[in-house]
């Protein structure tokens, strides 16, 4: 199992602005699972319809998982937000 650890300390002073991170992969997963405040949620990762294309941002708490039949990726966060 390979692992990439990213440690960041950000002095965020903006108001009403969100910080977004994007990690492109070559995984061909049909769905991704992620933790929300109400448990685990699963959503398609493709954009076949306008509704799916509009749902590209997700409210992730501590983890997200995307896997296909051969391999997968998980993004883990040590803080709540």
């Amino acid at each position: 199992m390979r692992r990439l650890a990213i440690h960041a300390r950000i002095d965020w002073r903006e108001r009403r602005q969100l910080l977004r991170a994007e990690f492109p992969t070559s995984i061909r997963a049909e769905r991704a699972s992620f933790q929300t405040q109400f448990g685990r949620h699963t959503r398609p990762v493709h954009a076949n319809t306008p509704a799916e294309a509009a749902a590209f941002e997700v409210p992730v708490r501590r983890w997200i998982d995307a896997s296909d039949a051969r391999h997968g990726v998980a993004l883990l966060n040590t803080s709540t937000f």
Side-chain angles (χ1 to χ4, degrees), residues 45-64:
V45 295
H46 49 75
N48 292 334
T49 66
E52 290 172 350
F56 65 94
E57 291 184 346
V58 293
V60 177
R61 287 275 183 149
R62 291 197 173 198
W63 58 266
I64 184 169

Side-chain angles (χ1 to χ4, degrees), residues 8-53:
R9 182 171 295 219
I10 300 168
D11 185 13
W12 191 252
R13 297 182 187 198
E14 298 292 326
R15 301 186 96 208
R16 297 183 180 179
Q17 298 288 321
L18 296 176
L19 181 63
R20 185 170 81 180
E22 185 175 331
F23 301 95
T25 68
S26 62
I27 294 175
R28 302 275 186 219
E30 291 183 20
R31 304 179 77 73
S33 298
F34 49 93
Q35 181 191 23
T36 67
Q37 64 186 9
F38 302 112
R40 181 179 65 97
H41 186 73
T42 303
R43 178 182 286 181
V45 295
H46 49 75
N48 292 334
T49 66
E52 290 172 350

